[in-house]
Amino acid sequence: MQLLQNGRFGVSTWSLHRLLGAVHAYSPDPDKSAAPKEPYGPGGAALIDVPAMLTARGINRLEICSFHLPSLDAAYLSELREAMTASNVLFQTLLVEDGDPSHAGTAERDVGWMAEWIGIAAALGAQRMRVIAGKQKPTEENLGRAARHLGWLADKAEGSGVRVVVENWFDLLPSPVEMNWLLDRLDGKVGLNGDLGNWSAPAKYAGLADIMGRAEICHAKADYNAGGLDAEDYRQCLEMCERAGYAGPFTLIYDSPFFADEWDGILLQKTFIEDFLRGAPARRTA
């Protein structure tokens, strides 16, 4: 029912990183500073204004990168949650953008830091919290370490209303073999956010067909070339989702300089997926 009420489209704040400007590099590494920096320019809008911008464009799901939160104070988190509620925007996922549960030296420190974000996600009303599964090479030892720490993190989230999910991302999960192994080992305690753009073509198509049946949510990232959106690649990715039986929401990930206005890329991708979905019944009966 919630999927129907909030539609199938969301936006990650990463798709608006030029519009939002400043980032705060929250990290478990004590040598990293969370002081605001502007690697993408000064920006032109505040995060708290984004929910209303989404609703005005017919999009009612939001994912927030942790580094886009200008404050972690309870008062600000409450204000941001109220802004989402006022715009009828579902806070689908808090994206925790640092930490490495697979690292031999720092995994315990990093998952302890990740656990601190559970309360922040809950305060914001997030359904899920996406964490990095691991950045190390997919050895048996590193995969096992990540699985242990992610299981511990999921236990910490129990009762919070926030579900921990991981993504097919970074060196630990280069193919469906490792992705499926990790999900099997975690036995449902941790979910999957499938990303269409993290693996490389042509192998990614079969990989997506393999894992997207297990995905709860999807980062629908499109590739761009000199001519614009790579329609063939995007269509093939969506076909693999369809083949796998994926029926969840699509978070629109625009990550290209092709359009000066990031909303142009976001809405182009939304239209592309809508057109694809309208043709789905015909493909199933063909």
Side-chain angles (χ1 to χ4, degrees):
M1 179 62 73
Q2 201 161 42
L3 180 60
L4 294 174
Q5 290 173 343
N6 291 88
R8 291 193 71 177
F9 292 100
V11 168
S12 164
T13 57
W14 176 248
S15 300
L16 298 167
H17 60 268
R18 297 199 302 268
L19 178 67
L20 292 173
V23 296
H24 302 252
Y26 303 113
S27 174
D29 184 344
D31 294 331
K32 290 185 179 179
S33 169
K37 297 180 177 64
E38 296 181 348
Y40 314 111
L47 176 61
I48 205 158
D49 298 324
V50 170
M53 294 177 180
L54 290 176
T55 300
R57 292 164 173 83
I59 301 170
N60 296 101
R61 291 170 174 264
L62 176 61
E63 297 196 343
I64 296 176
C65 299
S66 55
F67 51 68
H68 279 139
L69 289 168
S71 171
L72 303 182
D73 290 343
Y76 176 78
L77 299 179
S78 177
E79 187 179 1
L80 180 56
R81 181 171 183 166
E82 289 172 5
M84 289 187 277
T85 300
S87 294
N88 191 31
V89 166
L90 174 70
F91 187 21
Q92 182 169 279
T93 317
L94 175 63
L95 306 168
V96 178
E97 302 287 11
D98 206 342
D100 183 356
S102 67
H103 192 284
T106 60
E108 190 169 342
R109 178 199 71 181
D110 289 7
V111 294
W113 174 84
M114 288 174 171
E116 296 173 8
W117 286 89
I118 296 169
I120 297 169
L124 286 166
Q127 286 188 330
R128 296 175 179 84
M129 183 176 89
R130 192 273 280 133
V131 299
I132 296 166
K135 300 178 182 180
Q136 306 308 304
K137 295 298 181 182
T139 64
E140 183 178 349
E141 183 180 6
N142 290 338
L143 282 162
R145 182 181 301 111
R148 290 193 303 274
H149 287 302
L150 290 168
W152 176 87
L153 186 65
D155 289 340
K156 286 292 182 182
E158 191 73 29
S160 68
V162 178
R163 177 161 167 78
V164 175
V165 299
V166 293
E167 187 174 331
N168 53 313
W169 194 23
F170 286 116
D171 284 354
L172 188 74
L173 303 173
S175 82
V177 174
E178 296 82 10
M179 187 76 256
N180 284 318
W181 183 93
L182 184 65
L183 293 175
D184 288 344
R185 179 62 62 95
L186 290 165
D187 196 25
K189 291 172 68 173
V190 171
L192 173 61
N193 169 43
D195 190 293
L196 306 187
N198 285 345
W199 290 342
S200 299
K204 74 170 178 178
Y205 304 122
L208 291 171
D210 194 326
I211 69 167
M212 285 306 295
R214 307 183 75 160
E216 302 172 10
I217 52 178
C218 171
H219 278 175
K221 182 180 178 182
D223 286 338
Y224 286 75
N225 52 38
L229 187 149
D230 187 338
E232 181 179 354
D233 173 79
Y234 210 29
R235 186 176 296 106
Q236 279 193 258
C237 289
L238 294 171
E239 286 173 353
M240 296 306 103
C241 291
E242 184 180 66
R243 180 183 298 180
Y246 178 74
F250 292 100
T251 300
L252 302 163
I253 305 291
Y254 173 69
D255 182 17
S256 169
F258 188 82
F259 292 107
D261 186 338
E262 290 162 309
W263 286 113
D264 289 341
I266 291 167
L267 294 176
L268 174 65
Q269 292 173 205
K270 179 175 182 285
T271 298
F272 190 101
I273 297 175
E274 286 173 331
D275 290 345
F276 176 86
L277 294 175
R278 273 194 288 271
R283 286 192 296 276
R284 284 195 290 267
T285 57

